[in-house]
Amino acid sequence: MSDNHVVAGVRFDDAEMASSLRRGLERVEDLLLRACRSDDQLLEISGAHLAAAGGKRFRPLLVQLAAQFGETGRTEVDKAAVVVELTHLATLYHDDVMDEAEIRRGAQSANARWGNSVAILTGDFLFARASILVAELGTDAVRIQAETFERLVAGQIRETVEPREGVDPVDHYLGVLAEKTGSLIATSGRFGAMFAGCSDEVIDALTHFGESIGMAFQLSDDLIDITSEATDLGKATGTDLREGVRTLPMLYALADETATDPELLKLLRAGPLTDDWQHARALELLRGSAAMDNARATLMRFVEEARGSLRALPAGVPRDSLDSLVDFMQLRSA
């Protein structure tokens, strides 16, 4: 299979489908960079900072894939793809401020380069640009975007607090991911199908698919953050360990004291691991732990949920292409 079958890092079996997706993403890329422009010089530079740095473009890809079940090439589909990517980019500016991150997509983060205030306001600027575009797509799109934004904010807030008494930390964490990550990817599937003129049944199936594949996407990112080196990842590896943020493998390790190395337990309980030796040691122990196996099993559960959502969709190349996306998600963190 040639590289012509690869789009946004995902390999598709059908060359014609891959070509259609590639053309769609090229249109989206052009619209995205135009949406980041500003008459203010600093805002122009900071607004395009992350967009120009590239990225997976997973959300616009899903918009374009979902549209394959209806009328492809519609301007509304491309605008919707830009809306979800602008929203995603805006959250990255804010996340990097909260995490005090210094690297994003292999480059210096906006907050490290220009300070927290500029980074936060740049994120707000991109949210505003997304709002302008979504207003052009109609009142239903505005409502869906507002509901998605509400879930994004709720997930971000829940991430900053401890689980309520009696709530399992793993359940709390998965709820955060559903709101903070799954919600926008679900909207990506929904928008693509909506603006391609698909039936309600197809729209619902692709919305559910997006939520499940979004969970798998984030969980695989969490695993890759632990297993990969910084040069492979394009950002600092083990960032959550260094910042004291507990992702699913860490929560599983803390939940099962009998199966977890005592040294790893001690390191995880110590909080942020700013010491380089302790950080490297925790990564080493975590990589070989049963907690990683449990986290992979949870990832596979969402992968299979996503695959199950495809059964409601008509058979054909578009459904097979979504199945390829599920395969990609299953293999990327193996």
Side-chain angles (χ1 to χ4, degrees):
M1 196 179 294
S2 72
D3 287 341
N4 289 335
H5 290 256
V6 178
V7 184
V10 182
R11 190 173 291 276
F12 297 95
D13 291 335
D14 189 89
E16 187 175 341
M17 171 64 74
S19 178
S20 175
L21 294 172
R22 191 177 297 107
R23 290 194 302 271
L25 288 182
E26 287 171 355
R27 294 193 303 270
V28 169
E29 197 71 18
D30 181 62
L31 286 171
L32 176 65
L33 292 176
R34 278 193 276 159
C36 293
R37 291 175 186 164
S38 171
D39 292 335
D40 182 271
Q41 185 177 20
L42 177 57
L43 201 53
E44 169 87 22
I45 297 170
S46 64
H49 180 64
L50 288 184
K56 304 177 188 73
R57 300 292 191 253
F58 182 77
R59 292 154 189 82
L61 176 63
L62 183 55
V63 173
Q64 296 291 333
L65 272 167
Q68 300 295 321
F69 290 89
E71 186 179 336
T72 61
R74 285 186 175 183
T75 302
E76 292 85 356
V77 171
D78 295 342
K79 282 186 179 180
V82 175
V83 167
V84 295
E85 187 65 8
L86 281 171
T87 303
H88 171 58
L89 289 172
T91 65
L92 297 184
Y93 283 88
H94 290 176
D95 282 354
D96 284 348
V97 170
M98 295 183 70
D99 296 340
E100 299 179 359
E102 296 184 358
I103 299 173
R104 170 68 72 173
R105 295 182 172 177
Q108 189 178 28
S109 65
N111 50 296
R113 183 171 178 181
W114 294 291
N116 288 345
S117 295
V118 170
I120 291 169
L121 291 169
T122 301
D124 293 345
F125 166 70
L126 296 182
F127 278 131
R129 286 297 170 89
S131 298
I132 292 170
L133 278 177
V134 81
E136 297 174 6
L137 295 174
T139 55
D140 283 347
V142 171
R143 175 183 54 79
I144 292 166
Q145 174 74 354
E147 291 169 350
T148 304
F149 188 53
E150 179 184 20
R151 290 187 68 194
L152 284 168
V153 173
Q156 187 69 67
I157 290 174
R158 289 181 64 192
E159 187 181 45
T160 64
V161 299
E162 294 292 325
R164 297 192 310 273
E165 186 176 353
V167 175
D168 183 276
V170 169
D171 291 339
H172 175 84
Y173 182 71
L174 293 176
V176 167
L177 294 193
E179 292 174 333
K180 190 178 172 185
T181 301
S183 62
L184 187 57
I185 297 180
T187 296
S188 300
R190 187 175 186 178
F191 273 173
M194 275 179 58
F195 294 112
C198 295
S199 67
D200 289 344
E201 182 181 11
V202 170
I203 293 171
D204 288 344
L206 287 165
T207 302
H208 292 308
F209 174 84
E211 183 97 13
S212 298
I213 205 69
M215 293 290 288
F217 184 78
Q218 182 59 59
L219 289 173
S220 64
D221 259 9
D222 289 350
L223 290 170
I224 291 169
D225 182 55
I226 293 169
T227 59
S228 296
E229 299 300 328
T231 52
D232 301 323
L233 197 59
K235 62 179 181 180
T237 190
T239 299
D240 292 317
L241 269 175
R242 196 174 291 279
E243 298 297 329
V245 177
R246 292 172 176 173
T247 57
L248 194 62
M250 302 171 217
L251 293 173
Y252 275 133
L254 290 165
D256 192 352
E257 297 182 4
T258 59
T260 303
D261 186 292
E263 184 183 0
L264 178 57
L265 284 173
K266 183 178 180 181
L267 287 167
L268 292 178
R269 288 169 178 161
L273 297 177
T274 56
D275 177 85
D276 288 342
W277 185 91
Q278 289 184 333
H279 179 263
R281 181 60 176 159
L283 275 177
E284 178 187 3
L285 292 170
L286 196 55
R287 286 167 179 169
S289 69
M292 289 292 286
D293 295 332
N294 291 333
R296 288 189 180 97
T298 301
L299 164 61
M300 288 304 107
R301 174 162 62 87
F302 286 106
V303 164
E304 291 309 314
E305 282 185 12
R307 208 182 297 278
S309 299
L310 299 181
R311 299 190 189 103
L313 297 172
V317 172
R319 192 174 79 176
D320 293 342
S321 298
L322 285 175
D323 205 41
S324 295
L325 189 62
V326 177
D327 290 338
F328 168 76
M329 202 59 59
Q330 186 170 351
L331 292 172
R332 73 191 290 256
S333 59

